[in-house]
Amino acid sequence: MWRIAWFAMVFFLIMAVFFIAAIVLVGTAAGVIHTHAGLRVLAIVSLFALLVIVVRAATRFRRMAIDMGSFIHATSQIAAGDYEVRVPERGPREIRTLARAFNDMSARLATTEQNRRSFVADLTHELRTPLAVIRGQAEAIGDGIYPGDQVHVVPILDATQALETLVDALPTLTLADVGSLRLNREAVELPVLLGSTVAGFQALADAGGVQLRTEVPTDLPPLDADPARIRGVLMNLISNAIRYTPSGGSVTVAAAGEGDRVALRVRDTGSGMPEELRARVFDRFVKGPGSPGAGLGLAIAKDVVTAHGGEIAVSSEAGKGTEVRFTLPVYKP
């Protein structure tokens, strides 16, 4: 509060000095205040310069007022839900900088809103299928059309698991949309993380007749990563690779240093992906034929890797297997 009072006092003091100086200059230039010719000429020149400054200041103020009017109008439109509004980038440098920042904010809001609407539409579509299965099977059992045996209860359990997967994925997807995915980063010893993660899938690989191996140098530098989230990415990639690899095939988890990055690869000798699926594999709710998942695993993997500052890509050819490669930064103490 005292700062506002101080500013107001200084402002009025400056205005008083300016007003008195203007009166003295006008009086001297008009001859009301008697002085010698040299000072009178100086007063006339000073008065003219002062007039020019006032005119330019008034013009600048008017332009700023017009620009601020544009900001106020645009802000009211955004408050009403119109995120396509933009303000003209004109006027003084400060106003142009503010206008660019405002337009960037508006563009991000528009993108976020579009993503939200698309996500809600996709999620609604994905929820309908398991809910329809649960309701249909439950009503049939309740009406006595189906017996309440394992054959007719299993579809309900599968649909419930699908719903659980969607619910578990919602927090990550929502935070990723607004750029607020929280990471508990620390120095991560990759050989240890990969070893424990791969070991958890050994029984599944053995049951499917799939050889599961790792190719990880022991001298890799530690990662700057959230171990829980990276473990989740690896679990999704490894489970997908085993699922689509026939008996007698192999899944390889490899890592290698690349400067200030570490590249991780999950390769399989499975059926591969058709081209139309490969182009959209990181989109949400996109899944291959016969996939039991919700089509969110790779989308979440991309969100997590991107939040770490890394990149993720897939290479695949139908009938020749698939490789998913992603990079993570090296820990720098």
Side-chain angles (χ1 to χ4, degrees):
M1 192 68 183
W2 65 269
R3 292 183 178 179
I4 298 176
W6 175 255
F7 176 80
M9 184 177 67
V10 172
F11 175 78
F12 284 117
L13 181 61
I14 292 174
M15 291 301 298
V17 172
F18 180 83
F19 184 69
I20 293 172
I23 292 176
V24 171
L25 289 176
V26 171
T28 302
V32 176
I33 300 176
H34 299 286
T35 184
H36 57 79
L39 285 179
R40 186 177 180 186
V41 171
L42 180 61
I44 293 173
V45 172
S46 300
L47 185 62
F48 178 77
L50 184 62
L51 182 62
V52 171
I53 292 173
V54 170
V55 171
R56 293 192 61 180
T59 303
R60 187 182 182 92
F61 179 79
R62 180 176 177 273
R63 187 178 302 167
M64 290 181 64
I66 293 174
D67 291 334
M68 291 308 296
S70 300
F71 280 108
I72 294 172
H73 178 67
T75 302
S76 64
Q77 287 183 277
I78 287 181
D82 180 10
Y83 302 121
E84 300 298 329
V85 63
R86 302 292 185 271
V87 295
E89 298 179 12
R90 65 189 181 194
R93 180 173 59 85
E94 296 81 2
I95 297 296
R96 294 198 305 271
T97 301
L98 180 61
R100 282 193 293 270
F102 184 93
N103 290 338
D104 289 343
M105 177 198 69
S106 181
R108 286 195 299 271
L109 286 173
T111 301
T112 300
E113 177 65 12
Q114 179 61 37
N115 291 340
R116 184 191 67 81
R117 292 181 180 181
S118 177
F119 175 67
V120 170
D122 291 340
L123 180 62
T124 301
H125 174 75
E126 291 298 320
L127 287 173
R128 284 197 182 105
T129 300
L131 287 174
V133 171
I134 292 172
R135 180 173 181 174
Q137 291 292 111
E139 287 181 347
I141 293 173
D143 293 340
I145 299 175
Y146 293 156
D149 56 12
Q150 181 180 4
V151 174
H152 295 95
V153 172
V154 165
I156 296 178
L157 296 177
D158 290 342
T160 303
Q161 184 177 5
L163 288 176
E164 185 179 359
T165 300
L166 287 172
V167 171
D168 289 342
L170 282 177
T172 300
L173 295 173
T174 303
L175 290 173
D177 272 345
V178 297
S180 300
L181 187 60
R182 179 175 295 180
L183 301 176
N184 297 315
R185 303 178 83 134
E186 59 183 74
V188 178
E189 296 296 336
L190 188 57
V192 176
L193 179 65
L194 284 180
S196 61
T197 304
V198 171
F201 286 93
Q202 192 61 60
L204 179 63
D206 292 342
V210 176
Q211 183 181 3
L212 181 60
R213 56 175 180 253
T214 59
E215 297 176 358
V216 184
T218 57
D219 59 347
L220 279 176
L223 299 177
D224 180 15
D226 183 329
R229 292 198 181 276
I230 296 305
R231 185 187 297 274
V233 171
L234 289 168
M235 290 175 63
N236 178 265
L237 298 182
I238 295 171
S239 63
N240 283 346
I242 294 175
R243 180 183 301 123
Y244 292 106
T245 300
S247 179
S250 66
V251 172
T252 303
V253 182
E258 295 183 355
D260 61 349
R261 301 268 168 174
V262 171
L264 295 93
R265 294 178 173 85
V266 178
R267 299 191 301 266
D268 66 61
T269 58
S271 56
M273 299 181 188
E275 183 177 353
E276 61 274 11
L277 176 61
R278 187 169 65 250
R280 303 175 55 236
V281 72
F282 293 112
D283 293 346
R284 295 172 181 178
F285 304 109
V286 172
K287 53 186 178 181
S291 172
L296 291 173
L298 288 177
I300 292 176
K302 182 178 180 180
D303 288 338
V304 171
V305 171
T306 301
H308 279 83
E311 297 178 348
I312 187 169
V314 61
S315 57
S316 180
E317 187 175 347
K320 295 186 179 181
T322 299
E323 176 181 285
V324 180
R325 176 185 183 275
F326 64 97
T327 60
L328 293 172
V330 169
Y331 180 77
K332 297 180 180 179

